Amino acid sequence: MMRGMSGIIYKEFIQITRNPATLVIMLLIPIVQLIIFGYAIDTEVRNVRTVVLDLDNSHESREFLNRFRATGLYDLMGQVTSDTALEAEIVSGRASVGIMIPAGYGRELAGGRPAQILVLIDGSNNTIASQTMSTAQTLGIRMSIERVSPRRLSQAQLVDVRTRFLFNPDLRSAAFFVPGLVGVILFLVTMLLTSFAIVREKELGTMEQLAVSPVSRGGLMLGKILPYLLLGMIQMNVVLFFAQFVFNVDIAGSLPLLEGLALIFVFSSLGLGLIISTVAKTQLQAMLISFMILLPSILLSGFIFPRESMPLPIYWISALLPVTYFEEILRGIMLRGAGMEALWDETAVLTGMGLLLLAIATFRFRKTVG
Amino acid sequence: MARTAEEPAIQAEALTMRFGNFTAVQDVSFDVAKGEIFGFLGPNGSGKSTVIRMLCGLLRPSGGHGSILGRDSTREAEAVKRSIGYMSQKFSLYPDLTVHENLSFYGRIYGLGPKLQPRMDAVVEQLHLAPYLRRSAGALSGGWKQRLALACALLHEPRVMFLDEPTAGIDPVARRELWDFLYELAGRGVTLFVTTHYMDEAERCNRLGYIYLSRLLLLGNPDELKGDPRVTPSAARWLEAGLDGSEAPMERLSAMPGVEDATIFGNTLHLLADNSVDAAELGRLCGGLDFREGAPTLEDVFVRLTRLAEREQRTS
């Protein structure tokens, strides 16, 4: 059944190692991606450019502005002198936030009356907008509470919500992205290289030569899969190594469990790679089809954006992507130290998907090859 | 089927292949004896490759069946694949592998095991590949690529070889050497099934089959084919005249009643003339050419039969 497999594996390894540039690129791609996602992409908002129109210019208004500055979120770049200038700064994009303190702010507060402050926010970047808004509101509430005299404060029934981060206490984005990246890279490499390895033989005409040889379909399929399975696992470990020693993202849980579940995951991406190779006639086509699968896998799997906030139809599409479940497993094991008992659901879905995709691949392979 | 000494090496029995509404091969039957060089000719798209693919067990025929050395190409595809060698017109080796690696890859594919090394030494010796073993296959010239392809196809000592346009695009010397080697193989009892577009190669074959528009139009040795009554109708004969540098009046000839298929081979004008056409008169009309009786060439055979088949198809 597996006739000819060793011959195919022998040849694939020669071809993989023949061109040192290919090897370097294959090991470099994950590292470059790691650097891009680990360093450059940062969802944490800091130093938002802010202009101030302080019409009050009192002790109270300056104290309020100092509070803003102390958060680190707002970078108070300068003062303007009119409300049209304030708006112009935001429209031009020079600032994202404008704070206006009306005349009489300090006097109203001193007199025990409510005072108002206007914060203009550029809503075009929703991440920046929502963070600057909530911080400004929190600041206002906190100052209001402090102004209530201690005597009345003790009588007030305040709800004290205290939050504590269990994992990733510094909320570093590398900790969030790096485990996700392991999944995306493993998916990319195994799917793309497997489909390339077969389509290349079609383009060369060697597939015909193999078809007249006694190589069995099983032997051909496994011979094509196993080298790239090994390559994918090596790449995953390269990424894990860099994650640990460059980005200080430790693996909280068990490494053998992670490797084992990665192996289960890889079967579905190898299956997809095989299916692509039965559809595509050229390596370019294989690449385009791979990207059609890869793009949703990057954007919808929860690698970058949380799945929970997706619209329902998109949420269901994301449920069809194997990467989605592997991302859960990766973050579970690497960040939360989850064990097998917490990952049964994801493992079951991945196993089912892998078997289904491999079955479809085998069926299609049988029809198109030979 | 019992295996007897007279059993043909290759047998096609009413092979038919339909793809949807299109019939690629219609009722093709022939036998190829052991040790024979069988030339399979026909224009591109006539069904040649489909016949080969059915015989090799790659395609399941819609009708009829093929067999190799008494084994059914469909039911015993595995055994058939072991007993055949296949060399395609396209260079189908791995250009990034060396000559040696290509050979050992195909040796492994055929599961030669410990026999790999002696077999590899044998084909390298037979095809004089020794100086090129460490060179990558992609860097070889056309003729040497074909030699390597042949070597790979011969590693497992096939008794039947299929060669699909083996000499397409290689130079005359390499072509001559390849044919010398094919004769050597046939001498050792290997059956060769060769497709080609070259008439001189067709002349080299023991027997020929000509396929056109999915049907096998002709079957026989080159001399039998030239004597086919369809090629030379009873009321006509082939005439030839030396041109000696003078220009041939091709336009006038093609307009002349009773003259058909006029063509030029080098310095010789060659045509099929009705018996009612007088050779001396024809010579005078052509500006003083001296016509004598000639014989049809293989090219005449194929051109005539192709035209007849086209005419038949148009009228039906």
Side-chain angles (χ1 to χ4, degrees):
Chain A
M1 193 200 159
M2 294 308 152
R3 217 173 323 104
M5 183 181 82
S6 66
I8 305 274
I9 293 178
Y10 159 85
K11 182 195 66 93
E12 291 300 316
F13 273 114
I14 293 180
Q15 289 188 311
I16 292 169
T17 50
R18 172 82 352 131
N19 191 350
T22 327
L23 257 188
V24 169
I25 288 169
M26 280 194 289
L27 292 180
L28 219 59
I29 284 176
I31 295 167
V32 169
Q33 287 199 358
L34 200 59
I35 290 168
I36 291 175
F37 283 103
Y39 276 128
I41 296 192
D42 197 340
T43 49
E44 209 178 314
V45 181
R46 250 173 285 133
N47 297 330
V48 178
R49 282 162 307 173
T50 305
V51 283
V52 175
L53 173 59
D54 186 357
L55 296 173
D56 194 47
N57 204 9
S58 60
H59 169 73
E60 284 82 358
S61 74
R62 282 190 295 275
E63 194 211 319
F64 182 80
L65 289 173
N66 279 335
R67 291 275 190 122
F68 261 86
R69 194 178 285 119
T71 61
L73 180 62
Y74 310 92
D75 172 21
L76 303 187
M77 325 183 318
Q79 297 261 358
V80 289
T81 50
S82 69
D83 49 358
T84 45
L86 186 71
E87 221 177 301
E89 288 293 305
I90 293 176
V91 170
S92 68
R94 282 191 292 274
S96 300
V97 175
I99 301 171
M100 189 184 82
I101 305 172
Y105 166 80
R107 200 180 55 241
E108 296 294 312
L109 281 184
R113 288 179 297 276
Q116 285 184 331
I117 278 179
L118 178 67
V119 179
L120 296 172
I121 296 170
D122 173 8
S124 50
N125 185 325
N126 60 343
T127 318
I128 294 176
S130 59
Q131 286 219 33
T132 47
M133 179 190 75
S134 63
T135 308
Q137 286 176 340
T138 311
L139 266 181
I141 292 166
R142 199 178 289 167
M143 284 179 70
S144 307
I145 293 171
E146 284 168 10
R147 296 197 71 81
V148 175
S149 61
R151 185 179 50 82
R152 284 161 64 193
L153 191 61
S154 61
Q155 292 171 352
Q157 301 191 333
L158 291 174
V159 179
D160 187 7
V161 178
R162 293 202 180 166
T163 54
R164 186 160 65 93
F165 296 119
L166 280 177
F167 313 105
N168 190 18
D170 308 331
L171 294 186
R172 288 183 309 139
S173 55
F176 178 73
F177 278 120
V178 168
L181 197 59
V182 174
V184 169
I185 287 171
L186 193 58
F187 185 63
L188 171 75
V189 169
T190 46
M191 178 175 70
L192 203 62
L193 292 184
T194 313
S195 67
F196 268 36
I198 294 168
V199 175
R200 190 174 55 222
E201 302 241 7
K202 280 200 217 173
E203 278 185 296
L204 271 176
T206 44
M207 198 48 112
E208 202 184 337
Q209 195 74 46
L210 291 180
V212 292
S213 79
V215 172
S216 66
R217 289 183 190 97
L220 181 58
M221 230 173 84
L222 272 184
K224 285 285 181 189
I225 280 181
L226 292 178
Y228 297 100
L229 175 67
L230 182 67
L231 212 64
M233 294 306 282
I234 291 175
Q235 283 199 326
M236 183 180 92
N237 283 288
V238 168
V239 175
L240 285 180
F241 178 85
F242 272 82
Q244 208 156 356
F245 295 101
V246 179
F247 294 95
N248 299 317
V249 179
D250 282 326
I251 301 166
S254 142
L255 182 63
L257 178 65
L258 183 60
E259 306 268 352
L261 294 183
L263 215 52
I264 293 177
F265 162 70
V266 158
F267 278 106
S268 43
S269 67
L270 290 171
L272 276 172
L274 285 175
I275 294 172
I276 292 171
S277 75
T278 63
V279 179
K281 288 189 176 63
T282 63
Q283 293 185 63
L284 182 65
Q285 281 180 5
M287 173 113 91
L288 292 176
I289 301 172
S290 296
F291 274 100
M292 269 171 52
I293 302 175
L294 193 66
L295 217 57
S297 293
I298 289 177
L299 295 175
L300 306 182
S301 64
F303 166 47
I304 299 178
F305 309 111
R307 285 178 71 216
E308 289 73 14
S309 52
M310 290 172 188
L312 206 56
I314 305 291
Y315 183 85
W316 285 113
I317 291 174
S318 74
L320 297 175
L321 300 166
V323 183
T324 301
Y325 302 93
F326 191 48
E327 298 280 299
E328 282 294 319
I329 289 175
L330 280 164
R331 291 200 176 111
I333 295 176
M334 290 182 70
L335 299 181
R336 300 194 297 272
M340 193 59 219
E341 66 286 344
L343 301 169
W344 277 116
D345 288 353
E346 287 82 6
T347 308
V349 175
L350 273 188
T351 311
M353 280 183 167
L355 290 176
L356 181 69
L357 287 169
L358 275 184
I360 295 173
T362 315
F363 175 73
R364 293 220 26 120
F365 211 60
R366 194 164 297 209
K367 278 181 75 178
T368 53
V369 178
Chain B
M1 190 188 290
R3 301 175 109 204
T4 62
E6 296 81 38
E7 166 193 272
I10 305 172
Q11 194 169 33
E13 275 178 85
L15 273 179
T16 300
M17 189 70 216
R18 281 180 290 270
F19 298 107
N21 284 329
F22 173 68
T23 305
V25 173
Q26 174 89 52
D27 256 339
V28 168
S29 300
F30 59 82
D31 286 354
V32 181
K34 281 175 187 158
E36 198 169 49
I37 302 184
F38 184 77
F40 198 46
L41 290 87
N44 295 330
S46 55
K48 270 183 307 187
S49 302
T50 310
V51 169
I52 294 180
R53 292 172 72 81
M54 285 191 280
L55 288 172
C56 293
L58 296 186
L59 272 179
R60 177 188 287 269
S62 320
H65 52 88
S67 62
I68 304 289
L69 299 168
R71 295 203 153 105
D72 188 279
S73 297
T74 307
R75 285 196 309 273
E76 296 169 90
E78 253 356 288
V80 163
K81 284 177 181 179
R82 280 188 186 287
S83 58
I84 59 171
Y86 176 81
M87 185 179 145
S88 105
Q89 60 196 71
K90 229 172 112 187
F91 178 62
S92 55
L93 298 161
Y94 300 93
D96 46 348
L97 264 58
T98 64
V99 169
H100 181 269
E101 286 163 347
N102 268 293
L103 285 167
S104 62
F105 168 62
Y106 279 106
R108 281 160 203 257
I109 289 289
Y110 282 91
L112 292 187
K115 270 182 14 201
L116 175 60
Q117 197 53 50
R119 279 304 300 152
M120 198 160 13
D121 293 343
V123 294
V124 165
E125 153 105 44
Q126 280 164 23
L127 288 153
H128 312 291
L129 283 166
Y132 301 101
L133 281 178
R134 302 278 152 220
R135 198 175 290 188
S136 69
L140 296 176
S141 71
W144 284 99
K145 279 180 182 169
Q146 290 304 74
R147 271 170 192 253
L148 173 56
L150 198 56
C152 290
L154 285 170
L155 266 178
H156 63 290
E157 298 181 272
R159 305 305 300 151
V160 175
M161 282 282 286
F162 287 89
L163 300 113
D164 195 1
E165 294 183 32
T167 57
I170 67 172
D171 67 71
V173 177
R175 205 147 73 92
R176 168 71 65 86
E177 284 171 356
L178 191 80
W179 272 95
D180 288 347
F181 186 73
L182 295 186
Y183 279 115
E184 214 181 296
L185 280 177
R188 276 187 257 146
V190 176
T191 309
L192 298 165
F193 187 103
V194 185
T195 74
T196 180
H197 286 303
Y198 299 112
M199 288 305 128
D200 60 320
E201 290 187 356
E203 296 269 11
R204 289 166 179 268
C205 297
N206 304 126
R207 274 171 79 239
L208 294 169
Y210 182 68
I211 188 171
Y212 181 68
L213 293 173
S214 325
R215 289 167 190 276
L216 192 68
L217 293 184
L218 269 178
L219 192 64
N221 67 40
D223 289 335
E224 282 168 7
L225 298 189
K226 289 174 196 166
D228 191 289
R230 286 172 293 178
V231 177
T232 318
S234 54
R237 80 277 198 213
W238 291 88
L239 295 175
E240 278 176 8
L243 285 168
D244 293 330
S246 56
E247 207 178 313
M250 298 306 286
E251 264 176 52
R252 214 183 314 155
L253 278 172
S254 60
M256 221 174 267
V259 175
E260 273 187 82
D261 289 331
T263 186
I264 295 170
F265 290 110
N267 287 326
T268 308
L269 178 61
H270 182 86
L271 55 82
L272 177 67
D274 205 78
N275 282 346
S276 62
V277 177
D278 180 56
E281 175 132 17
L282 187 66
R284 245 191 342 273
L285 283 170
C286 290
L289 289 181
D290 186 16
F291 278 99
R292 56 187 182 277
E293 288 267 338
T297 62
L298 262 187
E299 188 177 289
D300 292 325
V301 174
F302 298 127
V303 170
R304 294 262 329 142
L305 284 166
T306 303
R307 293 210 174 129
L308 284 176
E310 272 171 351
R311 220 171 288 167
E312 231 171 82
Q313 204 198 25
R314 233 175 288 138
T315 51
S316 68

